[in-house]
Amino acid sequence: MKRLAIFCGSRNGASEDYIQQAKELGSKLAEQNVALVYGGASVGIMGAVADAVLHGGGHVIGVMPQFLKEKEISHPSLTELIIVDSMHERKMKMAELADGFIALPGGPGTLEEFFEVFTWAQLGLHQKPCGLLNINHYFDPLISLFQHMTDEHFMEKKHRDMVIIDKNASTLLRNFIAYVAPPTKTYITKSQT
């Protein structure tokens, strides 16, 4: 794995653990010579993970729409900053560059980015691992929702299980390296309903 996309908040969150664990993940990426692909900001959890990768001598690629760069939140010390025209273009570029995707705590934008690549994985549009770094049990409600979707037959178990979840950055990264994509999504025909 050469490049990993991280989706996360542009805020620090309520607990110092969010920033601390983001820094730990960034340090692990630098140690393992895995480049960070992320939204390009200098603030919040986004800035913390980028700073940690850079501090460890790692490579950081930011992808940011022009309208956000104009708000002066772009990180000034990135290895590379790619400016795009829209949020859609940002997500496409990050997906193109990355060999896998991890969501850290964040808001609706973080979830939207994660769900897009997770959906693409279910559809077989890519075979890259998708995971959650479950800091302070942040994603527990989402994990419960995944189980509910499966119980109610809106998600296949093999797709629920394809999301790699761990509270520890090192373990999560080890599981990413060992990841094997399941078969693509199967569809129900009218005759099967």
Side-chain angles (χ1 to χ4, degrees), residues 18-142:
Y18 297 133
I19 293 292
Q20 192 56 42
Q21 293 295 319
K23 289 178 180 178
E24 183 179 325
L25 176 60
S27 295
K28 296 293 179 192
L29 292 176
E31 283 173 21
Q32 296 180 24
N33 202 28
V34 175
L36 168 66
V37 176
Y38 86 118
S42 61
V43 294
I45 296 175
M46 294 174 76
V49 70
D51 286 342
V53 175
L54 291 167
H55 182 73
H59 191 87
V60 181
I61 303 167
V63 182
M64 181 174 279
Q66 182 65 40
F67 78 92
L68 286 180
K69 184 177 187 296
E70 291 168 0
K71 293 184 181 199
E72 298 183 336
I73 61 169
S74 63
H75 198 296
S77 303
L78 302 181
T79 311
E80 182 179 358
L81 179 62
I82 299 169
I83 302 299
V84 295
D85 292 328
S86 68
M87 295 295 281
H88 293 294
E89 196 176 338
R90 175 197 230 178
K91 290 185 295 181
M92 287 297 296
K93 189 61 169 176
M94 289 176 71
E96 173 191 313
L97 292 171
D99 299 316
F101 310 94
I102 294 178
L104 275 64
T110 299
L111 292 177
E112 187 263 342
E113 291 169 325
F114 177 77
F115 273 112
E116 185 159 18
V117 294
F118 175 42
T119 301
W120 292 348
Q122 287 184 72
L123 296 172
L125 298 176
H126 69 76
Q127 287 75 45
K128 303 171 184 180
C130 300
L132 304 172
L133 184 57
N134 196 19
I135 303 168
N136 279 359
H137 303 279
Y138 183 79
F139 288 114
D140 285 0
L142 179 58

Side-chain angles (χ1 to χ4, degrees), residues 17 26 46 72 148 155 159:
D17 289 343
M46 294 174 76
E72 298 183 336
H148 182 63
M155 183 189 296
H159 294 129

